[in-house]
Amino acid sequence: MKRNSRLSLALHTLSHMAGDPSRMRTSADIAEHAGTNPVVVRRVLGRLRKAGLLTSEKGHSGGWRLAQAPEDITLADVYLALDERLVTGGDSDEAPACSVEKALHKRVTGVLEDVEQRLIQRLSETSISEVRGN
Amino acid sequence: MKRNSRLSLALHTLSHMAGDPSRMRTSADIAEHAGTNPVVVRRVLGRLRKAGLLTSEKGHSGGWRLAQAPEDITLADVYLALDERLVTGGDSDEAPACSVEKALHKRVTGVLEDVEQRLIQRLSETSISEVRGN
DNA sequence: AAGGCACGCAACACCGTTTGTTACGTGAGC
DNA sequence: GCTCACGTAACAAACGGTGTTGCGTGCCTT
C-alpha cells in the first residue's frame, strides 16, 4: 500500500489481533510483519489507543492488545480514530475573497461532506472480526 | 485551498469562464487571479483541453475558452478530466502476500469504489454554470 | 535491588510528490 | 519580422510522510 498507509497499517494490525485477542504483540513484531519500523507502529497505534481501541503495556510482557471485543470494532472506528479525512481533509481554512470561489467552495464542500458520511457509513458496516479470511 | 489544488484551480477557472464564455483568457490573467503561475495554469488547463472541455489558441489574441456550453460541463467532468481520484487513488498495485491483508484490501477497495462512484454521481448533478453566485 | 524489555516521545534525515520558476520552441496575428 | 501566448522540458523549492536514532519511563524478571 502507499497512500493511506497509516490506515492500512492500522486495519491490518487490528484484523490480525481480532484472530487472537488475548495475545500480546510488541511493536517490533508488528513492524516486522508489516514491513515497517517499530516507531512507526507505535505512532499509528498510539492514536488507536487514544481512541480507546487498543491498550498498551510497558515492561517485559508488554505490548499491544485490543481494548474491545473484535466484533465491536468497525472499520469506521479505526478510520475515525486516525483522524485523517480521506475526502474532506486538506481543505485550507482561508475564506475565499472571490465570490465565485466562495459559491464554488460551498457547493463542493457540501458534496464532499456527503461523500465522507457515506464512506463512514459503509465502513461501519463491517467489524474487524468479519474481515479475516480464516 | 491546499490539497486538491489542481481541482480547485480548474473548477474556479471554469466557473469564471461560464460567466462570459466568449471571452478569451490568457494563462497569465488566470494565474494572477488564482494567485499562481502561468505555467501551472497551462499544466492544469491542458488536461481539461485534452478532455475536450477547453480550447486554447496561440498568438496575439490567443488564450483559453470553453469548448462546450457551460450548462453541459458538470463538476464531475472536470474531476474526471484531471484524472486524480480523491478516494480511490493512491492504492499501490502490489498483491498482498498475507491472507488477512488480502481479505482486508478487497473489502476496503469495494467500499472505496462505491464511495468514489457516489462522489462522481453527486458532482455530476451540478454544472459549472450553476455554481456562480451571480 | 538491578537489569532488561517495551512503550512514549522528540529530533532529525530521507524520500517522493507537488508546486513554482526559468528557459526555449512553436504558431498566430499585427 | 516582431510580439504575444501557448507547449514543454528541466530544474529548484516546499511540503508531507516515513524511517531512524536517542533518551526517558514504567514494569517485569531474576
Side-chain angles (χ1 to χ4, degrees), chain A:
Chain A
M1 303 237 171
K2 187 141 182 260
R3 188 180 176 185
N4 313 137
S5 64
R6 284 192 286 260
L7 180 59
S8 294
L9 174 58
L11 288 175
H12 187 185
T13 303
L14 263 63
S15 297
H16 272 289
M17 287 176 161
D20 187 357
S22 62
R23 179 174 154 209
M24 201 69 129
R25 293 150 210 261
T26 69
S27 54
D29 291 343
I30 298 168
E32 189 184 17
H33 181 265
T36 182
N37 197 283
V39 178
V40 175
V41 171
R42 287 198 282 260
R43 276 209 280 253
V44 173
L45 267 47
R47 297 200 186 193
L48 305 184
R49 178 171 43 82
K50 198 159 64 178
L53 270 44
L54 288 176
T55 45
S56 63
E57 284 172 28
K58 298 181 176 180
H60 247 120
S61 54
W64 299 83
R65 192 161 15 194
L66 293 181
Q68 303 179 24
E71 304 83 32
D72 294 340
I73 302 179
T74 71
L75 304 188
D77 291 329
V78 182
Y79 173 70
L80 292 171
L82 291 180
D83 205 42
E84 33 176 45
R85 295 297 108 90
L86 247 55
V87 353
T88 295
D91 233 351
S92 86
D93 32 36
E94 55 188 71
C98 167
S99 73
V100 171
E101 168 107 46
K102 186 150 40 180
L104 178 63
H105 184 269
K106 184 178 174 183
R107 188 74 70 120
V108 172
T109 299
V111 171
L112 291 179
E113 283 172 355
D114 172 65
V115 172
E116 175 80 27
Q117 279 313 114
R118 169 81 166 196
L119 172 61
I120 294 171
Q121 201 272 324
R122 295 282 276 107
L123 288 176
S124 70
E125 291 169 2
T126 77
S127 75
I128 59 168
S129 60
E130 293 175 66
V131 90
R132 300 176 47 81
N134 306 12

